[in-house]
Amino acid sequence: MFVLLAAAFPACILAAQERPNGQEEFRTYCASCHGISGRGNGIMAELLVKKPADLTVLAKNNGGRFPQDKVIATIDGRVEVAGHGAREMPVWGKIFRSDHEATNSAVSAEDRILALAYYIRSIQQR
Ligand code: HEC
């Protein structure tokens, strides 16, 4: 029994660590401009000439369908957004780049991006 538990628990802990939390990623890398609620009212917003987009109306503005591919492409840099800085060095650094050798992180850039996209999908207004 003990052997079984000892074998099973580290696996659970590892699994929990490896799954990125989209809300956390959002708060860390996006909320300064887009706001905690995603409505574009982050603390940086009033300092920017171009206002951050309201990320809760992406589906609404796209005929009710969340534009997931576009959101993913915006985060990985395939779609450039002036407010995010240069593609090679976006305002959030290299964290969402697949060639980023994340220090002591077992989480891949792809998983982070997907978790973030799912989170943004979850805050869409109906
Ligand atoms: C330095 C401020 C800043 C940060 C940080 C930031 N954004 Fe933005 N974002 C903007 C601005 C400004 C725009 C509007 C730019 C435009 O319309 O050209 C924008 C636009 C967008 C759009 C396009 C919305 C549309 O209508 O098509 C998406 C998607 C987006 N941001 C996602 C994110 C995500 C995800 C993060 C975090 C990884 C993030 N942004 C971090 C400033 C920021």
Side-chain angles (χ1 to χ4, degrees):
M1 184 61 185
F2 173 75
V3 176
L4 254 181
L5 279 178
F9 271 113
C12 293
I13 293 164
L14 208 64
Q17 280 174 343
E18 282 172 4
R19 208 174 314 116
N21 179 322
Q23 183 174 37
E24 244 168 57
E25 302 283 335
F26 187 82
R27 290 188 172 177
T28 307
Y29 301 107
C30 320
S32 55
C33 292
H34 290 282
I36 289 283
S37 66
R39 288 176 189 249
N41 56 350
I43 49 169
M44 291 293 291
E46 61 186 85
L47 300 174
L48 297 172
V49 176
K50 180 135 203 181
K51 296 302 161 207
D54 179 346
L55 299 181
T56 70
V57 295
L58 297 179
K60 212 181 209 175
N61 294 343
N62 190 49
R65 201 188 133 265
F66 180 65
Q68 183 151 309
D69 293 345
K70 191 181 162 209
V71 170
I72 287 174
T74 304
I75 303 167
D76 71 23
R78 280 173 297 146
V79 168
E80 275 192 274
V81 168
H84 291 169
R87 177 180 298 170
E88 308 76 49
M89 185 44 78
V91 286
W92 49 74
K94 295 182 176 174
I95 191 78
F96 299 118
R97 277 171 53 155
S98 54
D99 62 349
H100 171 58
E101 286 172 23
T103 42
N104 64 48
S105 169
V107 182
S108 72
E110 287 76 13
D111 286 350
R112 275 183 204 278
I113 293 174
L114 211 55
L116 191 44
Y118 286 160
Y119 174 69
I120 296 172
R121 188 173 68 185
S122 79
I123 60 170
Q124 295 307 296
Q125 292 176 31
R126 285 168 202 283

